[in-house]
Amino acid sequence: MKNILHKLGAVAFLSSSLLFTGCDPEFEDDRTFSAGSLDLTKYVAVGNSLTAGYQDNGLSLEGQLNSYPNMLANQFSFVGGGGFTQPLFSLEQRNGTGYLRLTGFTSTGSPITTTVNTELAVRGLGADGKTPLLTKFTGAINNFGVPGIRVADINTPGYGLNNPQGFNPYFERLLPDNSFTTYLQKVSTSAPTFFSLWLGNNDVLGYATAGGFAGSITATSTFETNYTAMVNALSANNTEGIVATIPDVRAVPFFTTVGPTFKASLPAAVPAVVVLTKNTPTRKVVLKSDIKSAAGGTVLFTLTSAPYLPLVGTPTGKYWRDLAKSQSPTNPNAALQQYLAAFQIDTTKMFGLSGENPFPSALVLDNDEQAEIATATTAFNTFIKAQATSKNLAVFDAFEFFNRIQTGFALNGVNYSPAFITGNLFSLDGVHPTQRGYAIIANEMIRAINTKYGSTIPTIDVTQFRAVQIP
């Protein structure tokens, strides 16, 4: 095999199969790349939004093209890898679900974002009256990334069925109409020669980003049963692959960005704030010193709390009005009254400083909620690693990686950190990586594959991929 040094230039996809332009490999004499004993002729990627290429709070054609599985498939192509088909949006519907774009900064330096809502791949509204239906994609695929999916969902018949009770629109677009096919059944027909499996994040993430107010953490027994079924399906016939662990979701900018600024803004005369916890009317007092910042503390405020933090100390019910409007657009006043009664809220009192008008649970992750997340993440990751050992699979330890990068690092003369926008790693939603962040993750996976299987798959020049675009 020829010696090659990969280089992905400006990436452009012309079809749904693996076809990079501007990615001609450079050749050098002193390096040899090989798949070793791996059979990479049919690579299949299984996972959630991270696998699909989700970023900036949406899924677009650009994000799909720069998904980490597509990057891996391109590197595999240099050592015998086969074609890689993704369920791409068309050029005419390139903005997919829509996404956030950075359009400027306020006078105090806070980012201003706008939602891109043109050239969408939306074909209507679902039977539940609120979920957009995405343009269908038919045919065989290699990337099964479905944003929002949990391990708990993979065996659920009708998970992609358009019905009044709700459904996953990303899975619905991959299925025929009126299909009860489960995600596990869909994936089980793929017959890969090599696979990546990165599921489990949403089994804790949804609960975390909701501040413990909505959603739930998957029961460990359910996680283990379903995860085992997926690994068994993918590794049938001793198929080789790589699995990824679940990061500590508390370490992403969604949770670490606004709390320190809020903490610093509280006057000396305000030693604490009052918050709700979980989906209950129970109040908690959070001391100023308990808010996490570089100076200490542990309590996290979500990125979605940013519009409401300046209102602390004023008599307002804005959060509850906004929630009612989003959850019941046809009758928000009735919903508002239900919320105020259920959580015993008096909006004439000082928001966040009075026990009668506490800060909403959905905007803060307190210590008890964090403990639940930490316990579940540890249990899930222990099981993922055990499954990898039993099936002789490579492991990308995402938990270890995302903790390792907390102090920042330099790569090819560029500084990286988990800082929101300026850190180059995370996109505008504060949870999903930038395209460059995905490239760095792909390289971590390649190194894990090479170490496990003795292959020498080339890594990626991550500088060829963008971070957040500054206007």
Side-chain angles (χ1 to χ4, degrees), residues 57-71:
N57 205 34
L59 185 64
S60 67
L61 176 62
E62 184 185 13
Q64 292 175 314
L65 296 176
N66 292 285
S67 66
Y68 79 80
N70 204 35
M71 297 177 192

Side-chain angles (χ1 to χ4, degrees), residues 198 201 243-252 377-378 380-382 384-385 395-409 418 425-426 440-441 443-445 447-448:
W198 196 0
N201 300 45
V243 298
T245 61
I246 303 167
D248 185 348
V249 299
R250 300 169 297 171
V252 299
T377 301
T378 298
F380 296 164
N381 282 341
T382 298
I384 289 171
K385 290 179 180 178
V395 176
F396 164 49
D397 194 343
F399 185 89
E400 184 276 334
F401 171 74
F402 279 89
N403 284 340
R404 174 161 40 96
I405 65 175
Q406 290 304 304
T407 55
F409 63 96
L425 291 173
F426 287 93
I440 291 172
I441 288 171
N443 273 347
E444 292 292 322
M445 289 188 169
R447 294 186 183 101

Side-chain angles (χ1 to χ4, degrees), residues 1 14 35 40 56 82 84 108 114 141 145 149 177 193 204 267 283 292 304 339 347 362 372 381 452 456 462:
M1 179 170 291
L14 302 180
L40 300 172
D56 296 328
F84 190 76
T108 59
T114 58
I141 55 176
I149 194 169
D177 290 340
T193 63
V204 292
R283 274 72 167 159
K292 186 172 184 178
T304 48
Y339 286 130
T347 60
E372 293 176 317
N381 282 341
K452 178 66 179 180
T456 50
V462 301

Side-chain angles (χ1 to χ4, degrees), residues 63 185 191 226 237 261 382:
Q185 290 169 334
N226 286 6
N237 302 316
T261 302
T382 298

Side-chain angles (χ1 to χ4, degrees), residues 127-446:
D128 62 356
K130 61 181 181 181
T131 303
L133 294 169
L134 302 174
T135 302
K136 291 273 191 177
F137 185 92
T138 59
I141 55 176
N142 295 73
N143 188 340
F144 290 82
V146 170
I149 194 169
R150 305 170 301 167
V151 171
D153 300 319
I154 68 169
N155 253 333
T156 302
Y159 180 65
L161 177 68
N162 179 11
N163 74 92
Q165 283 69 49
F167 57 97
N168 186 309
Y170 299 94
F171 191 43
E172 192 269 349
R173 75 180 289 252
L174 303 180
L175 299 175
D177 290 340
N178 304 316
S179 175
F180 281 84
T181 299
T182 69
Y183 183 76
L184 179 60
Q185 290 169 334
K186 177 80 172 175
V187 169
S188 296
T189 63
S190 61
T193 63
F194 186 85
F195 68 88
S196 62
L197 173 58
W198 196 0
L199 274 176
N201 300 45
N202 291 323
D203 291 84
V204 292
L205 181 63
Y207 181 77
T209 55
F213 177 74
S216 60
I217 297 174
T218 299
T220 302
S221 58
T222 301
F223 185 96
E224 292 180 353
T225 298
N226 286 6
Y227 197 87
T228 299
M230 180 60 78
V231 170
N232 286 343
L234 291 170
S235 63
N237 302 316
N238 296 318
T239 303
E240 293 162 319
I242 181 170
V243 298
T245 61
I246 303 167
D248 185 348
V249 299
R250 300 169 297 171
V252 299
F254 185 85
F255 293 108
T256 60
T257 300
V258 300
T261 302
F262 173 57
K263 182 178 184 178
S265 72
L266 287 174
V270 179
V273 293
V274 183
V275 304
L276 289 169
T277 182
K278 301 182 181 177
N279 193 348
T280 73
T282 301
R283 274 72 167 159
K284 281 189 171 185
V285 174
V286 176
L287 297 176
K288 180 178 178 180
S289 59
D290 288 339
I291 301 172
K292 186 172 184 178
S293 70
T298 54
V299 177
L300 302 169
F301 284 75
T302 67
L303 200 60
T304 48
S305 72
Y308 303 101
L309 290 174
L311 301 177
V312 168
T314 64
T316 179
K318 176 174 171 49
Y319 169 80
W320 299 104
R321 291 195 302 273
D322 290 346
L323 178 64
K325 186 176 181 180
S326 66
Q327 296 302 307
S328 183
T330 59
N331 195 4
N333 287 333
L336 174 62
Q337 295 308 315
Q338 290 176 355
Y339 286 130
L340 297 183
F343 296 99
Q344 303 166 23
I345 303 296
D346 182 350
T347 60
T348 67
K349 305 300 181 182
M350 296 299 181
F351 180 59
L353 301 186
S354 166
E356 296 166 287
N357 193 8
F359 202 73
S361 173
L363 305 181
V364 59
L365 200 60
D366 62 47
N367 291 338
D368 290 337
E369 294 159 347
Q370 291 186 52
E372 293 176 317
I373 292 166
T375 298
T377 301
T378 298
F380 296 164
N381 282 341
T382 298
F383 191 76
I384 289 171
K385 290 179 180 178
Q387 286 286 292
T389 299
S390 69
K391 299 292 185 181
N392 195 35
L393 303 173
V395 176
F396 164 49
D397 194 343
F399 185 89
E400 184 276 334
F401 171 74
F402 279 89
N403 284 340
R404 174 161 40 96
I405 65 175
Q406 290 304 304
T407 55
F409 63 96
L411 186 64
N412 297 328
V414 178
N415 293 324
Y416 295 90
S417 78
F420 188 49
I421 297 178
T422 58
N424 293 316
L425 291 173
F426 287 93
S427 69
L428 292 171
D429 57 38
V431 173
H432 298 88
T434 60
Q435 293 168 22
R436 189 175 296 180
Y438 278 122
I440 291 172
I441 288 171
N443 273 347
E444 292 292 322
M445 289 188 169
I446 289 171

Side-chain angles (χ1 to χ4, degrees), residues 73-91:
N74 184 70
Q75 301 310 106
F76 293 167
S77 72
F78 296 136
V79 291
F84 190 76
T85 301
Q86 300 192 101
L88 299 178
F89 297 123
S90 68
L91 284 173

